[in-house]
Amino acid sequence: MTTDEATKSEGEVQAAALVERGEDITPARDRGVLKLIKRPGSEDESPMIGDKVYVHYKGKLANGKKFDSSRDRNEPFVFSLGKGQVIKAWDIGVATMKKGEICYLLCKPEYAYGSAGSVPKIPSNATLFFEATLPTFSLLFLLFFFQVELLDFKGEDLFEDGGIIRRIKKKGEGYSNPNEGATVEIHLEGFCGGTRFDCKDVKFVVGEGEDHDIPIGIDKALEKMQRGEHCILYLGPRYGFGEAGKPKYGIQANAELVYEVTLKSFEKAKESWEMDTKEKLEQAAVVKEKGTMYFKEGKYLQAVIQYGKIVSWLEMEYGLSEKESKASDSFLLAAFLNLAMCYLKLREYAKAVECCDKALGLDQDNEKGLYRRGEARLLMNEFELAKCDFQKVLEVNPQNKAAKSQISVCQKKTKEHNERDRRIYANMFAKFAERDAKEAASKTGDEKAAEKAACEKGPKTHGAE
């Protein structure tokens, strides 16, 4: 028997064992994916929908010929579980595994590459055989043999800042999500340090969860959820109850929170294009007051949502009457100025400058806009630009004592900055000079040594005959 024949025979034996003893793990129970555990996992936790899964794999045909390997590239393969980024068998199989588990999976064509195959390596209607391991994870197929190692998995970072991590326990239905201002019905349970502090069914407007003691992170996450979705949300302090904590629930300042949330139903809010100008102006007055209330309570992220609605409704509104235009500009100016103040509080100084620029585009001599832009620039160490803003404030209002004080601060900071630079460069040049002196001394020493050696050797002479 040739090597190829032996390898093929071994693959057929493994596939036959799976057909006989494998567990049907398909939701439809149609034996489309059969699983046989070779080694149980070392941990209880399995990947969830949306988790990033890190794997190594090796694929072979039934004749034993290797057709792909991440090991050869020395680069793990990464995919998001349950998002359709890989064949169905991988999404189904990996979701059932534990870290450290090794298993075999056998899947029918409809759970792999179907009638199309994957030319030229995978023929049509191929039944696949995987071997799988978690975090060492592998999968094998009949015409194809895959050895896959699951290196790691982690939840989905919703806003790519580490503030809200989502892990989906049950996938939602459809493709529609609640938008800002949507009315939602949810069930939630909140945990802090392993202790449950909240459990309720609640109906509220997205962006106004704080009115029901719900942190801003839930509002943000709901805009990414689908009807019927059940997920776990890990909230950092910024998206939780922040520096204020929540004494009502015994939550300390800057606490990390965990919520289990089920989106039971929702009704989307009107989009901007669905509202006429009159309705936009009426709603702008409502959300402006709401934003001011949140701001006074120190809930700056919630205030940003409210003021941001005014901008989204009115910034690109055209064809207004003179009266409507005046009202629109008034709301926009207030929204930009208030957003700038919120971003100053949130230490997002670049965004504060951007909002001030837009406010000054509406009113170039606006005292608050100039002053707040100066504050943001000062905090960004742009001392000269900040000083220019405070000087313009004095041109608008010579009695503004705060601006005069800030100019002095800018001058002091500029002087300190320049002195610090001089010390840094002085030390730098001193080190360069010291290095050059050492190199020069070294060269001089080498030259003297060479001269001494030449003198000792002396000219070559011949003795008298």
Side-chain angles (χ1 to χ4, degrees), residues 3-117:
T3 302
D4 286 349
E5 289 173 341
T7 303
K8 182 176 180 180
S9 177
E10 180 184 351
E12 290 173 348
V13 170
Q14 289 175 320
L18 257 177
V19 171
E20 181 181 350
R21 294 185 286 138
E23 176 191 359
D24 183 0
I25 59 173
T26 57
R29 293 292 184 267
D30 60 2
R31 297 185 65 80
V33 183
L34 301 178
K35 174 184 176 183
L36 183 64
I37 295 177
K38 179 180 179 182
R39 185 184 76 191
S42 58
E43 297 184 15
D44 293 333
E45 192 175 23
S46 298
M48 294 184 187
I49 297 169
D51 283 1
K52 276 192 175 180
V53 180
Y54 298 77
V55 303
H56 266 309
Y57 68 90
K58 179 172 64 177
K60 294 181 181 179
L61 302 176
N63 61 13
K65 182 179 179 181
K66 183 172 67 176
F67 66 83
D68 195 12
S69 172
S70 62
R71 288 287 186 189
D72 292 348
R73 296 188 294 274
N74 196 30
E75 183 179 346
F77 176 63
V78 183
F79 68 95
S80 295
L81 187 66
K83 298 291 187 176
Q85 297 177 359
V86 291
I87 60 174
K88 290 181 182 179
W90 279 46
D91 275 336
I92 293 171
V94 176
T96 69
M97 300 181 69
K98 313 292 186 202
K99 279 192 175 183
E101 176 183 317
I102 300 175
C103 75
Y104 298 101
L105 297 176
L106 183 71
C107 61
K108 292 181 179 178
E110 55 265 39
Y111 288 91
Y113 297 97
S115 60

